[in-house]
Amino acid sequence: MKAVIFFGHGARDVRWREPFDRLVSMWQSQYPEVMVELAFLEMMQPNLSTAILSLGRQGAKEIEIIPVFFGQGGHLREDFPKLLSEAQERFPHIQLRAASAVGEDESVLRAIIDFTARTLR
């Protein structure tokens, strides 16, 4: 069974999480057969390990981790690989894969351009 984790930085202000919650809701309505969880690097819960544990308990055998970051900064180059490696050791029965930062995808960049163009009208 496949699953997805949307992985964000986290923030002290709980309102920062709202777009992530909407992202999960949108995913669930479009892909109800694929489980989804949020996970955060810091300041918010659940953390990556807790999200993987939750999905594993629900039967996930393959999890794609989607870093919802604009680019590959220090957190994704240094902190995230360590967390992922620790998770792979802790959950050897679950195949964990990580995508690149969503902000590096051409279609995401195009969506930002389109959004910006709409704001100018």
Side-chain angles (χ1 to χ4, degrees), residues 37-92:
E37 289 276 349
L38 288 175
F40 299 98
L41 178 65
E42 57 188 13
M43 294 182 264
M44 291 186 154
Q45 293 297 320
N47 63 26
L48 184 60
S49 185
T50 301
I52 294 168
L53 179 61
S54 174
L55 291 169
R57 286 181 174 163
Q58 296 175 63
K61 300 293 181 204
E62 297 177 42
I63 300 173
E64 186 75 30
I65 303 164
I66 309 299
V68 186
F69 286 70
F70 196 66
Q72 299 278 351
H75 283 310
L76 288 186
R77 277 183 280 163
E78 297 169 21
D79 302 327
F80 180 63
K82 291 175 189 172
L83 291 173
L84 184 57
S85 178
E86 290 168 4
Q88 288 168 326
E89 288 180 22
R90 182 173 177 199
F91 305 103

Side-chain angles (χ1 to χ4, degrees), residues 1-120:
M1 185 177 293
K2 294 183 179 185
V4 170
I5 293 175
F6 292 114
F7 181 70
H9 183 276
R12 288 181 185 87
D13 186 337
V14 296
R15 294 171 296 179
W16 179 89
R17 180 188 172 118
E18 290 170 4
F20 289 86
D21 291 329
R22 286 197 321 265
L23 185 61
V24 166
S25 292
M26 291 170 69
W27 177 268
Q28 289 170 326
S29 67
Q30 292 181 33
Y31 302 97
E33 71 283 0
V34 180
M35 296 179 291
V36 63
E37 289 276 349
L38 288 175
F40 299 98
L41 178 65
E42 57 188 13
M43 294 182 264
M44 291 186 154
Q45 293 297 320
N47 63 26
L48 184 60
S49 185
T50 301
I52 294 168
L53 179 61
S54 174
L55 291 169
R57 286 181 174 163
Q58 296 175 63
K61 300 293 181 204
E62 297 177 42
I63 300 173
E64 186 75 30
I65 303 164
I66 309 299
V68 186
F69 286 70
F70 196 66
Q72 299 278 351
H75 283 310
L76 288 186
R77 277 183 280 163
E78 297 169 21
D79 302 327
F80 180 63
K82 291 175 189 172
L83 291 173
L84 184 57
S85 178
E86 290 168 4
Q88 288 168 326
E89 288 180 22
R90 182 173 177 199
F91 305 103
H93 58 287
I94 300 174
Q95 182 181 1
L96 301 172
R97 289 185 309 271
S100 60
V102 297
E104 294 183 349
D105 184 84
E106 188 73 23
S107 64
V108 173
L109 296 175
R110 176 61 43 205
I112 293 168
I113 294 296
D114 294 344
F115 168 83
T116 303
R118 286 191 314 272
T119 66
L120 294 175

